[in-house]
């Protein structure tokens, strides 16, 4: 505790976002193709991708009782707990690439300069134009 009574925060560094999936390896493969990243650790039920530019990585964990999320949310359905935001320079090209990798463009699109896509396990992710907030 500091002299002014405030708590001192230990050094904390976010390194990885872990995403649950019915099959960690196949979802990791999708994101490796989508982002152009490589697998750095592959275990039977857990796979790690690192961002080659540094920053936060992604890992994928097989969950035996995985329930596919629904987006947009619906009453009494498994909601989305989080989603990824992916900055792009060409929205049309990025959507085409995502679809070629195995994504589906979500039916509901709440913004003109963002495209919501859904990965093979049902997690939505947003492709948004570089230069936007």
């Amino acid at each position: 505790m500091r002299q002014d009574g405030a708590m001192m925060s230990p050094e904390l560094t976010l390194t990885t976002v872990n995403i649950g999936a019915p099959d960690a390896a196949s979802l990791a493969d999708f994101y490796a193709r989508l982002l152009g990243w490589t697998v750095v650790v592959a275990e039977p039920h857990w796979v790690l991708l690192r961002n080659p530019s540094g920053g936060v990585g992604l890992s994928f964990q097989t969950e035996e009782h995985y329930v596919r999320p629904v987006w947009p949310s619906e009453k009494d359905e498994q909601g989305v707990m989080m989603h990824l935001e992916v900055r792009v320079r060409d929205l049309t090209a990025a959507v085409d690439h995502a679809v070629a990798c195995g994504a589906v463009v979500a039916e509901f699109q709440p913004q003109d300069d963002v495209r919501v896509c859904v990965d093979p396990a049902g997690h939505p992710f947003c492709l948004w134009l570089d230069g936007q907030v």
Side-chain angles (χ1 to χ4, degrees), residues 95-109:
V95 169
D96 290 346
H97 172 68
V99 169
C101 289
V104 173
V105 178
E107 190 172 314
F108 177 65
Q109 296 292 326

Side-chain angles (χ1 to χ4, degrees), residues 12 17 20 24 30-31 44 56 60 68 79 88 96-97 109 111 113 120:
L12 303 172
V17 173
F30 166 79
Y31 279 100
V56 176
F60 305 88
R68 186 179 181 94
V88 303
D96 290 346
H97 172 68
Q109 296 292 326
Q111 297 167 276
D113 56 351

Side-chain angles (χ1 to χ4, degrees), residues 59-78:
S59 63
F60 305 88
Q61 173 179 308
T62 298
E63 295 182 7
E64 182 180 349
H65 303 289
Y66 180 79
V67 176
R68 186 179 181 94
V70 174
W71 189 88
S73 64
E74 296 179 13
K75 185 178 181 194
D76 299 325
E77 295 292 334
Q78 173 63 49

Side-chain angles (χ1 to χ4, degrees), residues 10-39:
E11 184 176 326
L12 303 172
T13 303
L14 178 64
T15 60
T16 309
V17 173
N18 190 53
I19 301 173
D23 180 348
S26 65
L27 193 57
D29 181 60
F30 166 79
Y31 279 100
R33 287 182 285 120
L34 179 72
L35 300 171
W37 296 4
T38 57
V39 172

